[in-house]
Amino acid sequence: MSADQARNAAGLPYGAQEPGNAESGKRELDEQESGKQQGTGKQGPGKQGTGKQEPGKQGPGKQDGETRKTVWVALGANLGIAVAKAVGGAIAGSPALLSEAAHSVADSLNEVFLLASLRRSERPADPLHPFGYGKERFFWSLLAAVGIFVTGGCFSFLQGIEAFRSEESESLSGYVIGLVVLVVALLAEGTSLLRALSQVRAQAKAHHRGTLHEIKVNDDPTLRTVLAEDSTACLGVLLAILGMALHMATGDGAYEAWASLLIGALLVYVAYILGKSARAQLIGEAAAPEMQQEIRDFLDGRPEVDAVTAAMTMRLGPDSVMLAARVDLVAGLDSEEVEEALVRTKQELCERWPELDQLFLDVTDASVADRVRARRARKDLDDVVEERRQTDAV
């Protein structure tokens, strides 16, 4: 069936989002307006159309609430620790302790960024941002990565270099104060880390996968940033304790200087990883290859679909995905059958993947070249999925 015939039969312009007659179109507009008034900000046929949620999965509202609690716990811990480290470092004259104070200050600022991202990303869609504000999460996560790099990593490097030049020795009371502060910091950071890990384990259980795999594939940049910060903070405190202990045992301040440099290198690495992830999401990251493969399998299995020439996805937020697909329908369908097939396909897509809240199905007349490109793209996708499976199995 030709693209023009299919579109004319269904009454659809190119790339239309929801086929149907005038009455169904008016009903959809009314539903969208109702959703905006309630503050949902959802458009398209996704969650508002089906209202269904996969069993065992937490809703996005509940997940955001848990993430907000995790961020508040981390913020409270980091503010208290930053003050304690700064005071203890000034009294003890410890560069490693002052580096850790800078680390905690950076983490506190980042938690403020993350709280802002949670609030701003919940704003409903508007004419200037028709797909909503979900990518605010990615932007503020990028700022958090920059904060870790500048405030934490660079300051730690400066403290380490300064420690190599300094010939001052610490008193016994200075050692004791510094170690006590670091032990208290380790307990506080550990508590915050356990809170973040508890949320990750709950999500892993809901998704029926292991905790380590959940950490690797989790799409929430806010939770991922908090988890990385807390893990790095605990490791940084241990390095600072080791540096101070060796300094106290040998009288050589170089150990604390090296501890500061290692803490700085650790922070720069974490900032790079978080920034790289945020960059990929901001410029338009696709859904997970496994999800893309399942969607292609679903569309290929539809009896009305002769060929799927393209199925492109993009993450609009942690729980929001856009799908734009081009399909060639089998020959012989009349206008009502085309309309029913497209509506039914969209409804079933939304029921299987609730995060697909922006759907665009375009009926096209696939050429031989289109089919060849589609087969090549599918093979590449299958290769990526298989490679990921082998990596996870190692």
Side-chain angles (χ1 to χ4, degrees):
M1 148 177 263
S2 71
D4 291 338
Q5 289 173 338
R7 279 194 286 272
N8 290 336
L12 288 172
Y14 180 86
Q17 184 170 359
E18 185 68 44
N21 53 31
E23 181 179 353
S24 65
K26 183 178 183 299
R27 183 168 59 252
E28 180 186 331
L29 290 175
D30 293 340
E31 290 173 354
Q32 290 180 7
E33 289 300 322
S34 175
K36 291 178 182 178
Q37 292 172 1
Q38 295 172 4
T40 61
K42 297 293 182 185
Q43 290 184 332
K47 298 165 191 170
Q48 75 178 35
T50 63
K52 294 185 179 180
Q53 182 177 319
E54 292 184 17
K57 287 193 176 182
Q58 296 177 330
K62 184 176 181 180
Q63 288 183 14
D64 286 353
E66 291 298 313
T67 301
R68 187 174 281 105
K69 291 178 184 178
T70 300
V71 176
W72 276 113
V73 170
L75 177 59
N78 283 318
L79 285 174
I81 294 169
V83 174
K85 287 177 180 176
V87 174
I91 295 175
S94 169
L97 195 53
L98 289 174
S99 295
E100 275 300 300
H103 181 183
S104 295
V105 170
D107 286 351
S108 299
L109 292 174
N110 292 338
E111 258 79 69
V112 174
F113 289 157
L114 298 179
L115 288 172
S117 76
L118 287 170
R119 182 177 181 84
R120 294 178 65 85
S121 66
E122 293 173 348
R123 291 181 295 171
D126 56 44
L128 294 179
H129 299 85
F131 296 114
Y133 290 82
K135 287 194 174 185
E136 286 268 12
R137 297 274 194 100
F138 310 145
F139 170 74
W140 290 97
S141 295
L142 180 61
L143 289 187
V146 174
I148 293 174
F149 176 81
V150 176
T151 311
C154 293
F155 185 81
S156 296
F157 278 125
L158 291 175
Q159 283 296 119
I161 294 171
E162 183 65 26
F164 277 117
R165 298 175 178 175
S166 176
E167 298 181 357
E168 296 181 3
S169 60
E170 297 179 19
S171 63
L172 179 61
S173 61
Y175 287 124
V176 173
I177 291 173
L179 289 175
V180 169
V181 170
L182 287 174
V183 170
V184 173
L186 182 61
L187 293 175
E189 296 284 12
T191 301
S192 179
L193 177 60
L194 289 176
R195 164 65 197 184
L197 286 174
S198 175
Q199 183 179 348
V200 172
R201 282 195 295 267
Q203 293 186 6
K205 184 178 180 181
H207 296 148
H208 307 292
R209 52 196 181 204
T211 302
L212 291 178
H213 186 57
E214 179 66 28
I215 293 174
K216 182 178 179 181
V217 302
N218 192 282
D219 295 316
D220 187 347
T222 305
L223 177 59
R224 188 168 56 245
T225 301
V226 172
L227 191 61
E229 285 180 349
D230 290 343
S231 302
T232 307
C234 289
L235 184 55
V237 170
L238 290 174
L239 288 173
I241 290 175
L242 179 61
M244 288 194 69
L246 290 174
H247 186 182
M248 183 170 60
T250 64
D252 188 355
Y255 288 106
E256 281 201 68
W258 279 112
S260 293
L261 293 179
L262 288 175
I263 292 170
L266 180 64
L267 292 173
V268 168
Y269 174 74
V270 170
Y272 168 75
I273 295 299
L274 292 176
K276 181 180 178 182
S277 175
R279 170 183 173 274
Q281 293 169 324
L282 275 173
I283 64 177
E285 187 177 45
E290 292 80 4
M291 180 179 177
Q292 297 181 54
Q293 187 183 59
E294 292 171 0
I295 291 174
R296 290 294 298 259
D297 288 340
F298 171 81
L299 292 175
D300 284 331
R302 303 296 297 175
E304 305 90 351
V305 175
D306 181 50
V308 180
T309 59
M312 297 171 288
T313 62
M314 183 171 67
R315 287 211 164 272
L316 303 176
D319 59 343
S320 176
V321 176
M322 180 178 70
L323 169 65
R326 289 191 176 96
V327 296
D328 187 0
L329 300 181
V330 297
L333 297 179
D334 59 29
S335 60
E336 291 186 1
E337 289 173 328
V338 169
E339 180 182 349
E340 290 175 0
L342 294 177
V343 171
R344 186 167 57 252
T345 298
K346 288 187 175 184
Q347 288 177 344
E348 293 185 18
L349 279 169
C350 295
E351 289 173 358
R352 293 195 180 198
W353 296 279
E355 59 267 44
L356 289 177
D357 55 2
Q358 297 291 342
L359 287 174
F360 300 88
L361 292 182
D362 178 32
V363 178
T364 185
D365 188 10
S367 65
V368 174
D370 291 335
R371 295 172 186 268
V372 171
R373 280 194 297 268
R375 284 195 295 269
R376 188 182 301 118
R378 179 56 194 267
K379 182 181 182 303
D380 293 341
L381 177 61
D382 291 342
D383 291 342
V384 170
V385 172
E386 182 61 28
E387 182 179 351
R388 285 164 61 96
R389 285 175 181 167
Q390 293 177 359
T391 302
D392 293 338
V394 174

